[in-house]
Amino acid sequence: MASVINTNIASLNTQRNLNTSQSSLNTSIQRLSSGLRVNSAKDDAAGLAIADRMNSQIKGLAVAQRNANDGISLAQTAEGALSKVTDNLQRMRELAVQATNGSNGAQDRATLNNEYKQLSDEVFRVLNGTTFNGQNLFTGTGSGASAGVGSDNTSASAALSLTFQVGANVVDGKLNDQISISLGDLSNDKSIADVVGTSAKGLIGLGDQTSVTTAQTAYTTAKAALDNLFATGSTLTSTALASSAVSLQATIDSAKLTLDKAIADPTAQSDAAKAIKNLDKAISVISSKRAEFGAVQNRFDAVISNLQISSENITSSRSRIMDADFASETANLTRAQILQQAGTAMLAQANSAPNNVLSLLK
């Protein structure tokens, strides 16, 4: 090979190799410092694209798990409210059974009826007031519906359907990753409206309460009139006083018979018996809905378990693409460092090689 000074091929070759080892060293340092094998698209273009799609799935699955947990929370809220409704209906049924007993008088049934009405009002309040995130759960799609109005089918609102996104995808318009929950209009359900609300039928009462009230008023008024007659009778003659007293006493006797008949009316018992039947229907409706909410909770639990497994597996796949293998990278780092040191030493040797030409000039 000719001895030249202007062009140092050995130095150029050494510089090229030194740049290559420097690039390898920089890559190893970047991977070890970031923990990622792919830090930019140039590291692995196809791998980066695949990993980004996987990352979208992982993030979507994480949100889907939160959505499913929201579904569980909603179902728990609804089922918890219906649990108290069931307790109240059960107590109302106990009162109805007690009121059906023939040994109870009018006052007894009036006392039972007072508690019954209070429990009925509470069921009314719960069905119309239970909400989750501002959404009424038992009034259908309408707002401000009233329990008891639904004594006929035309009063009920359309069932409210809530859709939960429990997956990361929507493929070809097929919503395979969605679950719908139907929240019926319990506040206007006919079976429930028969025992609670403004148009409830079969409340424990006094049979025909109107006749009892009217008879009681007539009896009280007649007695008051007779008492007033005796209090002011000094202004009347004895004949007039006796005639008025006999007439008022006859009115009192008639009012008393009417009152006794109203109190003894057997419809007082039959009303309570009707209430028992209606309450059985209402309890059946509520229990069925509670079971439905329980099944929904179990389904969401299964969904969450599946999402966790899917997320774990996809995360593992993404890790194999993106994460740096520290054992391999530390070996590469050591190799690159040694090459850098060797390359630097050889570059010094290559740069000093032209000095040998000077010996020819001596």
Side-chain angles (χ1 to χ4, degrees):
M1 179 181 293
S3 296
V4 297
I5 295 176
N6 288 335
T7 304
N8 191 338
I9 300 301
S11 177
L12 293 175
N13 181 268
T14 303
Q15 290 179 49
R16 178 175 57 81
N17 289 325
L18 189 60
N19 287 334
T20 301
S21 63
Q22 180 65 50
S23 177
S24 178
L25 178 63
N26 290 339
T27 299
S28 294
I29 291 174
Q30 184 183 40
R31 289 176 177 175
L32 290 171
S33 62
S34 68
L36 297 175
R37 185 183 71 86
V38 181
N39 290 281
S40 64
K42 72 180 182 61
D43 294 331
D44 186 350
L48 181 64
I50 295 171
D52 281 345
R53 287 198 297 270
M54 289 182 175
N55 197 41
S56 297
Q57 292 292 302
I58 293 168
K59 292 181 180 295
L61 291 173
V63 175
Q65 290 182 54
R66 294 202 298 270
N67 291 347
N69 279 313
D70 287 342
I72 291 177
S73 298
L74 182 144
Q76 287 175 335
T77 300
E79 196 275 330
L82 293 183
S83 173
K84 302 312 298 181
V85 168
T86 300
D87 292 343
N88 289 335
L89 292 177
Q90 293 285 10
R91 176 55 183 164
M92 290 165 66
R93 193 180 189 283
E94 291 177 16
L95 296 171
V97 171
Q98 185 176 356
T100 308
N101 194 27
S103 64
N104 292 307
Q107 187 57 46
D108 298 327
R109 290 196 177 93
T111 302
L112 295 171
N113 192 48
N114 289 336
E115 182 179 354
Y116 185 102
K117 285 183 175 180
Q118 290 297 321
L119 293 172
S120 174
D121 291 342
E122 177 59 15
V123 172
F124 177 97
R125 186 189 68 82
V126 170
L127 291 179
N128 285 277
T130 301
T131 63
F132 182 83
N133 195 29
Q135 175 64 61
N136 287 336
L137 298 182
F138 305 127
T139 58
T141 56
S143 59
S146 299
V149 174
S151 56
D152 55 72
N153 295 332
T154 60
S155 299
S157 301
L160 173 66
S161 182
L162 299 180
T163 301
F164 292 83
Q165 180 72 26
V166 293
N169 305 306
V170 177
V171 181
D172 296 330
K174 298 178 181 178
L175 305 181
N176 294 324
D177 287 343
Q178 293 186 341
I179 293 177
S180 295
I181 298 179
S182 179
L183 302 173
D185 184 8
L186 292 181
S187 67
N188 286 298
D189 186 277
K190 184 180 185 301
S191 296
I192 297 174
D194 284 343
V195 294
V196 300
T198 54
S199 62
K201 297 182 295 184
L203 292 176
I204 299 171
L206 311 175
D208 185 356
Q209 287 184 310
T210 302
S211 62
V212 173
T213 302
T214 302
Q216 182 67 56
T217 301
Y219 176 68
T220 302
T221 301
K223 284 189 64 178
L226 182 60
D227 293 339
N228 183 66
L229 175 65
F230 286 123
T232 59
S234 58
T235 60
L236 301 175
T237 64
S238 57
T239 301
L241 179 61
S243 175
S244 296
V246 169
S247 177
L248 288 175
Q249 186 60 53
T251 302
I252 291 172
D253 292 342
S254 176
K256 185 62 170 65
L257 288 174
T258 302
L259 178 60
D260 291 343
K261 182 179 179 181
I263 292 176
D265 193 332
T267 59
Q269 280 181 263
S270 65
D271 281 350
K274 290 177 184 177
I276 294 174
K277 294 181 179 179
N278 291 334
L279 284 164
D280 284 339
K281 295 178 182 178
I283 291 172
S284 177
V285 170
I286 297 298
S287 298
S288 177
K289 200 63 181 178
R290 287 185 64 189
E292 184 178 331
F293 283 124
V296 166
Q297 291 180 53
N298 290 335
R299 182 179 183 183
F300 276 124
D301 283 335
V303 166
I304 291 173
S305 296
N306 181 59
L307 291 173
Q308 289 173 337
I309 293 172
S310 297
S311 179
E312 178 183 341
N313 290 331
I314 296 175
T315 301
S316 177
S317 299
R318 180 181 178 275
S319 174
R320 284 190 287 271
I321 296 173
M322 295 294 293
D323 291 343
D325 182 351
F326 270 64
S328 174
E329 289 304 326
T330 51
N332 291 336
L333 176 66
T334 301
R335 173 179 173 275
Q337 287 174 332
I338 294 172
L339 286 174
Q340 275 284 288
Q341 294 171 10
T344 302
M346 290 305 99
L347 181 60
Q349 292 293 326
N351 288 338
S352 64
N355 290 334
N356 296 330
V357 177
L358 294 175
S359 62
L360 298 176
L361 301 176
K362 290 180 180 179

